[in-house]
C-alpha cells in the first residue's frame, strides 16, 4: 500500500494537542532553511524536533527529524556520521509504508556513500530507490533514480551502463516536459561520452 505522507500526517494530527505537532513541523522547516548556511544551528532544531516527536509518539515527525539530522550532519562534512540517522529514518518510513520517505532516504544514503568514495556501495540503495519509484508511478522520481544510477556507474568507470541509465532518464524527463532534469541528464551523458573519448558526441550533449 502506498501511503501519502501528507495524508498520514494530517490524520495523525487529530491524536495530539493542537499546538504540539505544528511545533515539530515548524522546527523542521526552520532547520531545512538553515541546513546549508548554518548546519550546526539546524542540527539543534532537528534534535529538538526529534525529542518532541518522540515524546508525542509522532511517528512521521520522528522519521522526518532523523532524516533531517542526517542531512545536517552530511552538510557539516561528516557524511559517514549521517548514516545511522538515515538508516533509523528509513526503518520508520518502511514500517509505516511511506514510500516517498523511503525513496528520499535511500537517495540520501547513496549520496553519503558517494561522498565518502564508496561508489560500489551507493549503487544498491539507488537500485532500491528505482524500484520504489516504479511502485510510486512517479516519472519525476524515476528519472532521478535512473540518473543517479547512471552517475554511480560513471564514478566506477562503467561508462556503457552509465550511458544507458542516463538515456532512460533523459527519455522520461523529455516525455514529461521536465526541462531542468533533461538538461542535467544531457550534461551527465555528455561527460560520460567524454570519458569514452567520443568528444564529438560529448559536445553535442554538453552544448
Amino acid at each position: 500500500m502506498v501511503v501519502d505522507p501528507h495524508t498520514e500526517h494530517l490524520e495523525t494530527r487529530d491524536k495530539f494537542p493542537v499546538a504540539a505537532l505544528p511545533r515539530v513541523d515548524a522546527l523542521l522547516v526552520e532547520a531545512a532553511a538553515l541546513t546549508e548556511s548554518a548546519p550546526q544551528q539546524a542540527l539543534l532544531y532537528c534534535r529538538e524536533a526529534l525529542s518532541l516527536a518522540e515524546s508525542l509518539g509522532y511517528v512521521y515527525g520522528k522519521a522526518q527529524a532523523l532524516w533531517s539530522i542526517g542531512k545536517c550532519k552530511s552538510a557539516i562534512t561528516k557524511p559517514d556520521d549521517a548514516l545511522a540517522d538515515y538508516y533509523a529514518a528509513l526503518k520508520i518510513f518502511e514500517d509505516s509504508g511511506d514510500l516517498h520517505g523511503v525513496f528520499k532516504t535511500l537517495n540520501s544514503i547513496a549520496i553519503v556513500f558517494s561522498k565518502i568514495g564508496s561508489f560500489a556501495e551507493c549503487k544498491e540503495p539507488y537500485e532500491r530507490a528505482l524500484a520504489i519509484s516504479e511502485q510510486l508511478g512517479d516519472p519525476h522520481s524515476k528519472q532521478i533514480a535512473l540518473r543517479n544510477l547512471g552517475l554511480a556507474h560513471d564514478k566506477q568507470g562503467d561508462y556503457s551502463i552509465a550511458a544507458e541509465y542516463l538515456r532512460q532518464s533523459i527519455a522520461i524527463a523529455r516525455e514529461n516536459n521536465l526541462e531542468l532534469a533533461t538538461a542535467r541528464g544531457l550534461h551527465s551523458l555528455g561527460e560520460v561520452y567524454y570519458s569514452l573519448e567520443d568528444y564529438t558526441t560529448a559536445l553535442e550533449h554538453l552544448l
Side-chain angles (χ1 to χ4, degrees), residues 144-167:
I144 289 173
L146 287 165
R147 180 169 176 266
N148 285 340
L149 271 169
L151 295 174
H153 281 280
D154 179 36
K155 291 286 188 182
Q156 284 202 288
D158 302 327
Y159 300 126
S160 296
I161 298 173
E164 179 55 31
Y165 277 124
L166 290 168
R167 281 192 288 265

Side-chain angles (χ1 to χ4, degrees), residues 53-191:
E54 287 178 331
S55 71
L56 294 166
Y58 179 20
V59 176
Y60 179 79
K62 180 179 178 180
Q64 285 291 111
L66 285 165
W67 179 82
S68 299
I69 287 171
K71 194 168 183 181
C72 289
K73 287 181 178 179
S74 189
I76 303 170
T77 65
K78 293 183 177 180
D80 49 338
D81 290 347
L83 283 173
D85 301 291
Y86 281 144
Y87 278 117
L90 180 63
K91 185 177 188 311
I92 296 172
F93 284 132
E94 288 177 330
D95 290 346
S96 62
D98 182 350
L99 294 185
H100 296 277
V102 172
F103 178 80
K104 76 172 183 178
T105 308
L106 286 169
N107 279 300
S108 296
I109 289 168
I111 288 168
V112 168
F113 283 130
S114 182
K115 282 185 175 182
I116 63 178
S118 299
F119 301 118
E121 291 183 82
C122 76
K123 288 190 290 188
E124 189 267 343
Y126 276 149
E127 287 167 355
R128 289 181 61 194
L130 176 58
I132 293 295
S133 74
E134 291 171 345
Q135 286 182 258
L136 289 169
D138 173 21
H140 179 65
S141 297
K142 187 170 183 178
Q143 65 83 21
I144 289 173
L146 287 165
R147 180 169 176 266
N148 285 340
L149 271 169
L151 295 174
H153 281 280
D154 179 36
K155 291 286 188 182
Q156 284 202 288
D158 302 327
Y159 300 126
S160 296
I161 298 173
E164 179 55 31
Y165 277 124
L166 290 168
R167 281 192 288 265
Q168 291 181 49
S169 176
I170 292 164
I172 293 171
R174 281 175 166 162
E175 286 170 9
N176 292 275
N177 299 313
L178 302 171
E179 295 182 4
L180 182 57
T182 299
R184 286 174 173 167
L186 288 168
H187 187 272
S188 297
L189 185 55
E191 292 185 333

